[in-house]
Amino acid sequence: MTAQAAARPAVETTERGAVDVVALGESMVTFLPARPGRLADVPSFDRGIGGAESNVVCALAAAGHTARWVSRVGTDGFGDHLVETIARYGVDTSAVGRDPHRPTGIYFRTADDRDTDTHEVVYYRAGSAASAMSPGSVDEDALTAARILHLSGITPALSADCLDLVRHLCTRRADRGPLVSFDVNHRPGLWKGAPEGPEVLLDLARGADLVFVGEDEAATAWGVTGGPDAIRAALPEPATLVVKQGSRGATVFRHGEDPVFQAALSVDVVAPVGAGDAFAAGFLSATLRGLPPAHRLRHGHLMAAAALTVPGDLAPPPARAHADRLAALDDAAWETLRLGPGWTAHAPEDTEADEEVRNP
């Protein structure tokens, strides 16, 4: 929890009015090692929170948008911690259900990059309260009273009921309401014993209005290689498709427009976690503001850089004026920009357009 997040007042929850973004998904209490090493060797852990969808709305709330998180947690201390922590970011948690019969999920992980052999993560989420979410167990009005509904491919992997819920929300119909944003977030470990998982994700993505997918995910899940154009050919339905290309950058496709690419930023990485969720939050923030496609991608990269330069999943975003100023740099200045820990604390006037943003 950052000082900035703690200082934000909780959203008034006496009425569930419309918000900018609502996200549905499981959040868990996460235990991070107090020092590097194997889980077997670490003697103590620091407590945090983790959840793709709640990460997105926490970042959006910290950036000044109204946001709601819809989920279920147990009637236990971990559930209390999740709801209270997420609410302190300014997120409306009034639609989070409490389940007296199922626990709140928790997990332990090492600090290493998820893509390395040294990374370990152990989940205790089977039978969790969130895995029991279904079309009848959540407040659909709370989900649809928003400009954007954000979902991910993690939720449908939790249970058949969760899949039914996400499938219902991704079904195209005239009265669907908010723009549906879907982050594919393919996690093979969650689909063990369910070989249909990749096709399920493809079907859900086809029903969304805005889709985030990585080149690596498309190759692993669907066998689609050949770059962003090949992925767009496999996913022509969404009005907006964002293809994340790792350290190279990202490309956005929109119906009736030429694709737009923006290079990723050079970042002094502190911890390689949370960047994908932060990128989605930055892109959605710029979408809510009606910014052009190139700036939506740049705001995604800036939010991702904020997450990469702190130890945990969540980071204080740059002030809006600061982010706008960086997003407006010319291509040469953007491509030479380098961001390090503490960069979000700079005021806009602290940074000249042709200089790198370095540690304060």
Side-chain angles (χ1 to χ4, degrees), residues 1 5 18 43 64 81 86 90 96-97 101-102 116 135 167 177 191 231 254 283 311 344 353 357-359:
M1 169 65 64
H81 176 64
I86 292 170
V96 177
H101 306 294
R102 297 177 178 86
T116 68
R167 185 170 276 147
W191 293 99
I231 297 171
R254 301 209 303 173
F283 189 94
T344 60
V357 178
R358 296 193 178 274
N359 299 356

Side-chain angles (χ1 to χ4, degrees), residues 49-317:
I49 64 170
E53 301 84 3
S54 59
N55 284 348
V56 170
V57 286
C58 284
L60 284 164
H65 297 281
T66 54
R68 175 182 298 127
W69 174 54
V70 178
S71 188
R72 289 174 68 82
V73 299
T75 54
D76 48 35
F78 289 143
D80 293 341
H81 176 64
L82 280 174
V83 173
E84 292 166 5
T85 302
I86 292 170
R88 283 198 294 271
Y89 277 86
V91 176
D92 177 359
T93 59
S94 63
V96 177
R98 306 302 294 259
D99 191 326
H101 306 294
R102 297 177 178 86
T104 304
I106 65 173
Y107 73 101
F108 296 77
R109 68 168 172 82
T110 55
D112 306 288
D113 191 329
R114 288 191 178 102
D115 294 331
T116 68
D117 292 336
T118 58
H119 179 71
E120 297 175 79
V121 59
V122 180
Y123 291 99
Y124 296 91
R125 75 194 311 175
S128 69
S131 70
M133 290 190 295
S134 67
S137 72
V138 298
D139 183 348
E140 187 163 351
D141 289 340
L143 286 170
T144 57
R147 294 170 62 189
I148 296 175
L149 168 61
H150 183 68
L151 309 166
S152 92
I154 295 173
T155 304
L158 299 181
S159 69
D161 283 341
C162 284
L163 173 56
D164 287 344
L165 174 59
V166 177
R167 185 170 276 147
H168 168 67
L169 296 171
C170 285
T171 298
R172 294 186 183 276
R173 54 187 183 276
D175 62 345
R176 184 159 77 175
L179 180 150
V180 174
S181 166
F182 184 76
D183 190 336
V184 172
N185 233 324
H186 178 232
R187 303 286 178 84
L190 290 176
W191 293 99
K192 286 181 179 177
E196 72 280 8
E199 287 303 314
V200 168
L201 293 176
L202 185 59
D203 182 58
L204 294 171
R206 284 172 171 158
D209 303 300
L210 164 58
V211 172
F212 299 94
V213 64
E215 274 188 318
D216 54 347
E217 290 179 303
T220 301
W222 308 320
V224 177
T225 57
D229 289 338
I231 297 171
R232 183 51 159 172
L235 265 175
E237 296 88 354
T240 303
L241 172 68
V242 180
V243 179
K244 296 177 289 184
Q245 298 165 257
S247 60
R248 297 189 304 283
T251 299
V252 60
F253 295 85
R254 301 209 303 173
H255 285 165
E257 300 179 11
D258 291 334
V260 174
F261 171 82
Q262 286 294 306
L265 292 162
S266 296
V267 178
D268 297 329
V269 176
V270 172
V273 293
D277 302 330
F279 179 91
F283 189 94
L284 292 176
S285 174
T287 298
L288 287 163
R289 296 171 60 203
L291 300 183
H295 283 220
R296 297 183 192 190
L297 290 173
R298 286 191 173 188
H299 278 275
H301 289 319
L302 288 165
M303 279 280 211
L308 289 169
T309 50
V310 298
D313 289 14
L314 291 166

Side-chain angles (χ1 to χ4, degrees), residues 309-360:
T309 50
V310 298
D313 289 14
L314 291 166
R320 184 170 291 182
H322 187 189
D324 284 345
R325 189 165 184 270
L326 294 178
L329 293 173
D330 62 40
D331 289 344
W334 175 264
E335 291 172 9
T336 58
L337 196 62
R338 186 175 188 88
L339 304 176
W343 73 270
T344 60
H346 282 275
E349 60 271 17
D350 290 341
T351 308
E352 294 299 329
D354 60 351
E355 291 183 354
E356 294 183 349
V357 178
R358 296 193 178 274
N359 299 356

